[in-house]
């Protein structure tokens, strides 16, 4: 079988290893497609992700430095237990079953949170069959779609709202479609790349703004809303400068939902102007948790089922911009890292 191996930041190779033994409760899956994440995975690729040096203490909920002896060591293989960040959107065909697997058979087409590698072994309770009415490659959006749906739950959009979505990568594109379905009367997309803005327009967003072509994007939001500002702003880019602008776009006494992952300790927020005077709240949205006031209604099982349903209802075909053979995965990562302007979802293909 073939796996990905990190030898250091931006040093990635496809290598062959012996097959890994199948456990009683696992399915062995031959990969067909896997999707590269531009956020979590690229942080690992660049070596900037915090989980290389810091970890969350489950009791205090604070991050602390990992002791040197306990830190991840290169090389890191996609098949290593701790390498969860080397792919988690995999579609493939079951080719073997453990003795305790129920409800699946050889030949079933399934989704798993499997890594980028030719063969994955996954617990049968953590995979699902690809529905007949969904193109198999569309299932690579499932993980990001649950994240996008969770952001909608955290934002609590109302009928008639004006909503800004800042950052129109894959997650931002999915959020934009869900915002429209949630009752917003005006959905405004913000991105620096015209290619992403064009696709968002194709998929139903109302207004697209490129800050490079307008001197004051926040001022334009005020113009479009009779100076009220946006009822909700969902910031997805992970860029601290964009988070500052999101604060400026929001109407007084409203909330900015921060979905992007703002990596690094040098992020500078301007909390002395609009944030202070307009009483703006910033709410982090992360897929492992949901707004406490509705969490009892939207547990992981329900969010998962809704995510599967949405796979057949959203426009996904034009979000796949590149299909690259798995053997060329290092080139795919380099392309995303250096020139993401015309890239949305990169699909690794196997076989």
């Amino acid at each position: 079988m073939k796996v990905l191996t990190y030898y250091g930041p931006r040093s990635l190779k496809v290598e062959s290893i012996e097959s890994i033994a199948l456990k009683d409760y696992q399915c062995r899956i031959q990969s067909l497609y896997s999707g590269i994440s531009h956020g979590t995975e690229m942080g690992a690729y660049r070596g900037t992700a915090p989980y290389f040096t810091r970890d969350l203490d489950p009791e205090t909920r604070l991050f602390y430095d990992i002791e040197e002896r306990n830190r991840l060591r290169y090389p890191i293989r996609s098949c290593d237990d701790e390498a969860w960040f080397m792919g988690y959107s995999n579609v493939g065909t079951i080719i073997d079953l453990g003795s305790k697997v129920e409800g699946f058979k050889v030949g079933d087409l399934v989704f798993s949170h499997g890594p980028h590698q030719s063969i994955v072994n996954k617990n049968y309770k953590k995979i699902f069959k690809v529905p007949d009415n969904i193109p198999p490659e569309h299932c690579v959006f499932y993980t990001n779609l649950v994240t996008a749906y969770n952001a909608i739950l955290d934002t609590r959009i109302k009928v008639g709202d004006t909503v800004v979505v800042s950052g129109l990568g894959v997650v931002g594109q999915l959020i934009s479609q869900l915002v429209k379905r949630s009752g917003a009367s005006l959905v405004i997309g913000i991105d620096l790349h015209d290619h992403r803005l064009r696709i968002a327009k194709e998929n139903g967003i109302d207004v697209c703004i490129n800050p490079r072509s307008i001197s004051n994007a926040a001022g334009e939001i005020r113009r479009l809303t009779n100076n009220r500002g946006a009822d909700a702003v969902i910031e997805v880019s992970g860029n601290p400068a964009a988070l500052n602008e999101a604060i400026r776009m929001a109407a007084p006494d409203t909330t900015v939902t921060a979905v992007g992952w703002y990596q690094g300790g040098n992020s500078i927020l301007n909390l002395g102007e609009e944030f202070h005077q307009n009483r703006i709240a910033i709410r982090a949205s992360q897929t492992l948790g949901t707004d406490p006031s509705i969490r009892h209604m939207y547990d992981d099982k329900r969010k998962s089922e809704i995510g599967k349903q949405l796979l057949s209802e959203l426009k996904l075909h034009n979000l796949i911009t590149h299909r690259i053979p798995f053997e060329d995965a290092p080139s795919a990562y380099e392309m995303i890292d250096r020139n993401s302007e015309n890239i949305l979802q990169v699909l690794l293909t196997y076989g």
Side-chain angles (χ1 to χ4, degrees), residues 154-172:
D154 283 334
T155 305
R156 307 292 291 274
I157 296 162
K158 304 175 294 300
V159 172
D161 275 355
T162 293
V163 180
V164 171
V165 181
S166 170
L168 295 175
V170 169
V171 176

Side-chain angles (χ1 to χ4, degrees), residues 33-277:
Y33 309 102
S34 60
I36 300 176
S37 160
H38 290 204
T40 301
E41 288 191 56
M42 293 310 294
Y45 176 73
R46 295 166 181 144
T48 59
Y51 40 77
F52 282 95
T53 56
R54 291 171 66 81
D55 197 13
L56 180 68
D57 176 28
E59 294 185 3
T60 64
R61 301 293 297 174
L62 296 174
F63 276 86
Y64 293 98
D65 288 340
I66 303 172
E67 293 183 19
E68 186 68 30
R69 60 189 174 87
N70 293 327
R71 293 183 180 181
L72 289 170
R73 302 289 182 187
Y74 295 109
I76 304 169
R77 302 182 306 172
S78 58
C79 58
D80 294 338
D81 289 340
E82 64 271 25
W84 60 270
F85 45 80
M86 296 183 73
Y88 40 78
S89 293
N90 184 293
V91 177
T93 304
I94 294 177
I95 57 174
D96 198 5
L97 302 170
S99 60
K100 295 182 179 179
V101 172
E102 300 176 359
F104 293 91
K105 65 181 184 301
V106 171
D108 281 346
L109 194 60
V110 296
F111 170 89
S112 76
H113 293 293
H116 304 302
Q117 55 191 49
S118 61
I119 303 288
V120 297
N121 296 345
K122 299 300 289 187
N123 186 320
Y124 78 95
K125 294 182 179 181
K126 297 183 178 181
I127 67 177
F128 65 81
K129 295 178 184 178
V130 174
D132 292 338
N133 63 331
I134 299 175
E137 61 266 33
H138 285 190
C139 283
V140 301
F141 293 106
Y142 170 77
T143 306
N144 281 334
L145 184 50
V146 173
T147 298
Y149 178 60
N150 200 68
I152 297 297
L153 294 176
D154 283 334
T155 305
R156 307 292 291 274
I157 296 162
K158 304 175 294 300
V159 172
D161 275 355
T162 293
V163 180
V164 171
V165 181
S166 170
L168 295 175
V170 169
V171 176
Q173 298 278 348
L174 297 172
I175 287 174
S176 297
Q177 294 188 48
L178 293 177
V179 166
K180 196 70 174 177
R181 292 169 62 96
S182 299
S185 60
L186 181 62
V187 184
I188 303 169
I190 309 288
D191 201 277
L192 297 175
H193 301 314
D194 289 334
H195 173 72
R196 295 179 177 182
L197 295 170
R198 178 181 59 77
I199 290 177
K201 284 286 284 185
E202 288 178 3
N203 291 344
I205 202 168
D206 298 302
V207 176
C208 289
I209 296 174
N210 188 331
R212 287 175 173 159
S213 59
I214 188 169
S215 60
N216 184 0
E220 180 65 8
I221 300 300
R222 287 301 195 275
R223 187 189 70 79
L224 291 169
T225 58
N226 295 318
N227 283 333
R228 289 192 311 272
D231 300 293
V233 182
I234 305 176
E235 210 302 295
V236 199
S237 74
N239 186 320
L243 184 56
N244 274 321
E245 282 301 297
I247 291 170
R248 299 185 67 234
M249 293 172 184
D253 288 294
T254 60
T255 298
V256 173
T257 304
V259 184
W261 188 12
Y262 305 89
Q263 299 181 43
N266 297 319
S267 302
I268 298 176
L269 285 180
N270 181 355
L271 303 181
E273 297 177 2
E274 289 87 0
F275 173 81
H276 181 72
Q277 295 294 332

Side-chain angles (χ1 to χ4, degrees), residues 291-299:
D291 183 342
S293 67
I294 58 172
R295 187 178 300 159
H296 64 292
M297 294 290 292
Y298 294 90
D299 58 12

